[in-house]
Amino acid sequence: MTDYEVLRVFCGPDGGHGNELGVVRDGAAVPGEAGRLALARELGFSETVFVDDAERGAIDIYTPSVRLPFAGHPCVGAAWLLGADRLVTAAGTVRVRQDAEFTRIEARAEWAPGRTLRRYGSAAEVDALDVPPPGEWIYAWAWQDERAGTVRARAFPGRGDGIDEDEATGAAALLLTAELRRDLTIAQGLGSQLVTAVRPGGLVEVGGRVRRAA
């Protein structure tokens, strides 16, 4: 079995929850897209990252069914683990900012895979949703407090690859921030938290807490 580490990305204020991420530090141990996809499917995380050059921050991202040019929670997790100030993805170079609590990345909305942003009238409506059938990647959201910029969200990838609901989704948070054109604090899944900010030059910052999985 290839060595890998497991992180929890976008943990809540108490350090709990977060979306699990598999990280293969020695990307060269799994060469080729087919082999990486097979390992990502075997591990079963919503995303798995292969580090191709730790010094440069070059990474390669896979779900259990597809390769992604860019994704939020893998970038935040890999940046935290590597202590990087930037990452090189297939979509482009992602800038990184570390502070005492959050690891934050800057990226462009057009790098994010397509998602349907579906607004609901209340957080309670989002909480009550059942998992929809496969076929459409849905980011369900509602304002908790519009004036304060706080959002309740859930994410349903709809790929039919065993990930029925994503606990925390950086790319979707990036898209929502770009659409609303304002900074957000997002409570997603069972207890995860994401923070976002609109940055100059068409960039959006997405950040969160990262912990090693127990």
Side-chain angles (χ1 to χ4, degrees):
M1 170 62 75
T2 303
D3 290 337
Y4 64 95
E5 299 179 53
V6 183
L7 308 177
R8 293 183 293 110
V9 183
F10 300 127
C11 296
D14 63 355
H17 298 286
N19 196 4
E20 286 193 327
L21 173 71
V23 182
V24 179
R25 279 186 183 260
D26 182 14
V30 190
E33 185 170 336
R36 293 180 174 189
L37 187 59
L39 180 59
R41 187 179 302 116
E42 180 180 346
L43 296 180
F45 301 116
S46 58
E47 278 105 8
T48 297
V49 170
F50 297 85
V51 180
D52 288 324
D53 188 326
E55 186 173 346
R56 291 178 55 241
I59 62 172
D60 197 17
I61 304 167
Y62 290 79
T63 76
S65 57
V66 295
R67 180 177 186 251
L68 297 177
F70 166 83
H73 110 274
C75 286
V76 171
W80 178 87
L81 185 65
L82 298 175
D85 61 4
R86 67 186 60 232
L87 296 171
V88 179
T89 71
T93 299
V94 175
R95 289 188 288 184
V96 179
R97 181 166 68 91
Q98 308 275 358
D99 65 29
E101 187 174 13
F102 298 111
T103 298
R104 307 172 190 263
I105 63 166
E106 281 188 354
R108 298 189 176 278
E110 57 265 30
W111 292 353
R115 278 99 171 86
T116 297
L117 305 178
R118 186 167 295 169
R119 181 177 177 180
Y120 288 83
S122 69
E125 289 180 60
V126 173
D127 289 339
L129 291 172
D130 293 325
V131 175
E136 186 178 14
W137 212 117
I138 297 171
Y139 194 62
W141 72 278
W143 290 112
Q144 288 182 320
D145 184 334
E146 185 171 359
R147 180 174 294 182
T150 58
V151 167
R152 172 67 176 128
R154 292 174 64 192
F156 306 105
R159 295 185 299 256
D161 60 5
I163 308 299
D164 294 331
E165 181 168 353
D166 221 0
E167 173 62 22
T169 313
L174 186 155
L175 288 172
L176 182 62
T177 301
E179 181 173 289
L180 298 176
R181 300 180 183 177
R182 59 177 298 183
D183 302 355
L184 301 172
T185 298
I186 300 171
Q188 187 177 328
L190 296 175
S192 300
Q193 186 182 68
L194 304 87
V195 293
T196 72
V198 177
R199 308 298 295 166
L203 294 165
V204 174
E205 185 177 73
V206 180
R209 304 172 188 83
V210 184
R211 302 286 187 271
R212 293 183 186 274

